[in-house]
Amino acid sequence: MRSPARRLTVGISIMALMTALASPTQADTTAAPVSGAGPSNGASLAPAVKGKDGKKGTDQPALITADQIIYDRDLSTVTASGHVEIDQAGRVLLADAVSYNLKQDVIIATGNVSFTDIDGEVRFTDYIELSGDMKQAVARHLRLLMVDNSRFAAATGRRTDGTRNILDDAIYTACEPCAADPSSPPLWDVRAQRIVHDDTTHRISYDDAWFDVDGFPVMYFPYFSHSDPSVKRESGVLPPTFFSNAIVGTGLAVPYYQIISPYQDATIEPIYTSKEGAGGAANWRARTTFGEMTTSASFGNEPETSNVAATSTGWDVDAKSQFAIDDTWRTGYDIERASDRDYLRYYDYPLNEPYLTTRPYLEGFSSRSYFAVEAYSFQNQTDNLPAPEPGIPDKSPLVLPLVTYSVQSHPGWEGSYVSFDTHSASILRTDDETNSRRVNTLAAWHLPYTSNDGEVYNFTASVRADAYDSDHVIGYGPQQEYAYRLIPTTSVDWRLPMAKIEDHSTQTFTPILMANIGPYGGNDAKIPNEDSLDFELDDSNIFNPQLFSGYDRVASGPRVAYGGEYTLTNRGSSTADILLGQSYQPKPDNVFPVGTGLDHPFSDLVGRAEVAPSQNLNLTYHFRLSETDYSFRHSELDLNAGSRPLSATIGYVFLDDVNEVSNFGLREQIVGSLQAQITRRWSAQIYDNSNLGPGGGPLQTGARLSYEDECTILQLDGGMRNTTVNTIVAGHYVILRIVLKTLTQFPVSLF
């Protein structure tokens, strides 16, 4: 441990130190340590001078700490020894000894030398010789630690012109040394005769290089280069992507990234497949002060199928934008379109929804209101609907325009407020299909109230007024039909939370009662059902006065819903939330088909259970039970169990075949996976997706093996698909993903 009495700390610049020590009042040779020396001892502070780049430069004042300083005026040398530390403008030099030759303007540092630059890069060596302005330097046994934790090592290193670092007989890697044996080779490295790092262009280039894996040479490169960690983005070729399927064969995509401006860039991606030849894709992105936009497009040859003619060219466009007009208004568009429903799957492009949507829009926001003008166009991408035949237009609707306005008043008497919602849409199809124009409005008065004993009420009185103008309505022919409705309703939601607070837990039981009173009727057959087809009674809507999420159908007549909710919160880690509900209608509404759970006076029982006994076990269960025999009509289970060493996830869905208007029969499916963290670096996963319903069997089964450390990701995924989607046939697949962090990545679909 160094003694404070032997430390010398001087807050002066390096040159000021040399000048002060060379003053006539000093002896020819100063060998004794000086304690407490500083500006008051005759040394003067040099002014803080910035470099040419406007940043702190080498003329900034320096803080020098050492056990001893020796000045030899005859030789014009100053030597600092013993735990030398020089801190200047954020740059820190540590060494056992540092000497400065005033005549030659050369600094030599020896013994455990480390130099930390402003940007965080650290250089290690046992000997370094550099000029006073630090533009020229020579070092031996040099090691560099970059800001992204990548590393260089070289037998010798040189710095020239203050910008170029030349490393001879050098190695680059992003892997950390082995803790057990630091001398062993890293998992991967790039070994080159010469590595040059240019601080001006921020490029790192390699001459006569080998790519090694665990010390064994694998691939040779006469020359290659990449950006240093300070570069956030740069034009150039990106890692290629390989893919393979039974339709287009084996494919290769080689993207090129181009920076257009600080706010724009583009990627051009030539694609070649073994069966369908050349194609391509492109992506353009831009960002401004007011918003952003992105456009992606691709094209490629398609094989002849029942949906696509021979030698046709497929394509797709995906464009999005959003711009702020001012603090209230914004506009934008989403455009998704493809040449046909099979193209995206042919070329392994992601498809997040079973349809493509095009939507231009204008939106306005205020503290209590919302306004939007939109248009929608859809394109089916599944087998559920027949593909349009050549020459016959797609029957998907065009919504133009769709206008929405919602406003809510400030709270008034006893906290009551008024809301008003209106919705107008024009839905267009071909001449022989249903077309409709409609206006839907809902005006409501709300009164939230909490009694002194904790009862929570929410009173609502509303009036709904709708008007429809339609043609080609099912059952009425091509003539134009008009329909109107005026529906007043009153509802009350009552809850009484009852809590039990103990030392380590809190339990709450809340009985719930909702009553809604309104007239029967309102679902005229002349009103086409466009937005209320997909209805299912569950725990999310059992206590809602209006059951439908759309506008075209309404739940009419009086209805009462009752149930309760129980919650448990433990100060440790266990929680529980259980809800159960049912409703009653004196006269069932025929708007709800058989099997929806509301086709009889007492509805099906619905509920949910979210239980987490510990941090390592979490279960969520949604269900619907028949009100007659309590058989399951809908079950949905999500289970997560285990911790990082070993964990499992299970998803289960059961839907009964009781809905006469549904396009689907009984469905029962289970998805499960088991993950194991074998070691710190290695993990494994097996997964299975199986159909448990009629004609069931495994849909997809596979396994994944992964390795990840600070410099590498290896992932091997293989299995079998047992389903056929359109013309994409089932079969085996093996996908290999190789990521060399800081360098490149290689996703490869083997087959």
Side-chain angles (χ1 to χ4, degrees), residues 533-546:
L533 291 167
D534 186 14
F535 170 79
E536 183 174 357
L537 182 68
D538 58 26
D539 60 276
S540 67
N541 58 17
I542 183 68
F543 297 110
N544 287 348
Q546 177 53 255

Side-chain angles (χ1 to χ4, degrees), residues 616-674:
N616 297 327
L617 180 61
N618 183 281
L619 181 145
T620 301
Y621 181 49
H622 300 265
F623 59 90
R624 180 160 65 93
L625 305 176
S626 170
E627 56 89 21
T628 55
D629 58 3
Y630 302 107
S631 60
F632 284 99
R633 290 190 167 182
H634 179 190
S635 293
E636 186 174 346
L637 172 71
D638 289 298
L639 175 66
N640 296 278
S643 58
R644 182 176 175 83
L646 182 65
S647 62
T649 59
I650 297 175
Y652 171 80
V653 174
F654 169 79
L655 297 174
D656 199 359
D657 180 19
V658 293
N659 190 340
E660 61 182 14
V661 300
S662 174
N663 294 325
F664 302 96
L666 184 147
R667 286 158 289 165
E668 189 174 10
Q669 187 170 326
I670 187 169
V671 178
S673 66
L674 181 66

Side-chain angles (χ1 to χ4, degrees), residues 349-606:
Y349 290 119
L351 184 62
N352 299 323
E353 299 288 347
Y355 50 85
L356 302 179
T357 304
T358 297
R359 172 186 173 245
Y361 61 90
L362 171 68
E363 293 178 308
F365 302 85
S366 70
S367 60
R368 293 186 174 272
S369 65
Y370 171 77
F371 176 82
V373 179
E374 307 166 271
Y376 282 89
S377 175
F378 304 96
Q379 185 182 16
N380 176 49
Q381 294 290 292
T382 70
D383 289 332
N384 295 338
L385 297 175
E389 299 177 7
I392 299 179
D394 191 349
K395 296 181 180 181
S396 299
L398 173 65
V399 184
L400 179 68
L402 173 64
V403 181
T404 304
Y405 176 67
S406 298
V407 64
Q408 181 176 301
S409 69
H410 289 276
W413 174 76
E414 296 294 334
S416 65
Y417 62 93
V418 176
S419 65
F420 177 77
D421 299 274
T422 184
H423 168 89
S424 176
S426 176
I427 302 177
L428 308 174
R429 292 185 178 87
T430 57
D431 293 338
D432 59 346
E433 295 293 323
T434 302
N435 300 276
S436 66
R437 282 71 53 189
R438 78 275 305 281
V439 177
N440 309 96
T441 63
L442 178 66
W445 175 76
H446 309 267
L447 175 61
Y449 172 73
T450 302
S451 67
N452 293 332
D453 57 0
E455 295 178 272
V456 180
Y457 295 87
N458 196 337
F459 298 94
T460 301
S462 64
V463 176
R464 179 166 181 166
D466 300 332
Y468 285 81
D469 171 16
S470 309
D471 58 70
H472 292 87
V473 180
I474 297 175
Y476 285 88
Q479 68 271 15
Q480 206 162 16
E481 301 291 344
Y482 299 93
Y484 310 92
R485 63 188 175 193
L486 185 67
I487 305 174
T489 59
T490 301
S491 67
V492 59
D493 185 295
W494 171 85
R495 306 185 183 213
L496 178 59
M498 295 178 287
K500 181 180 180 181
I501 301 176
E502 299 178 331
D503 291 340
H504 301 288
S505 64
T506 300
Q507 301 180 66
T508 304
F509 174 69
T510 306
I512 304 172
L513 178 66
M514 190 283 301
N516 184 71
I517 301 175
Y520 287 103
N523 295 296
D524 194 322
K526 295 180 181 180
I527 298 177
N529 188 0
E530 300 281 5
D531 61 10
S532 302
L533 291 167
D534 186 14
F535 170 79
E536 183 174 357
L537 182 68
D538 58 26
D539 60 276
S540 67
N541 58 17
I542 183 68
F543 297 110
N544 287 348
Q546 177 53 255
L547 291 166
F548 288 101
S549 58
Y551 297 92
D552 294 337
R553 292 293 179 264
V554 295
S556 63
R559 184 173 67 93
V560 176
Y562 48 87
E565 183 175 13
Y566 170 80
T567 60
L568 168 67
T569 302
N570 193 300
R571 294 184 183 179
S573 58
S574 59
T575 61
D577 183 5
I578 301 172
L579 181 142
L580 185 66
Q582 187 180 34
S583 68
Y584 171 76
Q585 290 177 288
K587 179 182 176 181
D589 195 339
N590 59 10
V591 72
F592 299 105
V594 175
T596 57
L598 289 168
D599 50 328
H600 31 73
F602 286 95
S603 75
D604 289 348
L605 281 81
V606 298

Side-chain angles (χ1 to χ4, degrees), residues 93 107-110 113 125-130 137-140 142:
L93 175 67
I107 301 172
I108 297 176
T110 59
V113 181
T125 183
D126 57 10
Y127 175 89
I128 185 170
E129 179 180 321
L130 64 157
V138 177
R140 66 189 183 198
L142 181 65

Side-chain angles (χ1 to χ4, degrees), residues 74 105 177 284 305 382 465 575 692:
D74 294 335
D105 194 23
W284 172 73
T305 66
T382 70
T575 61
L692 303 180

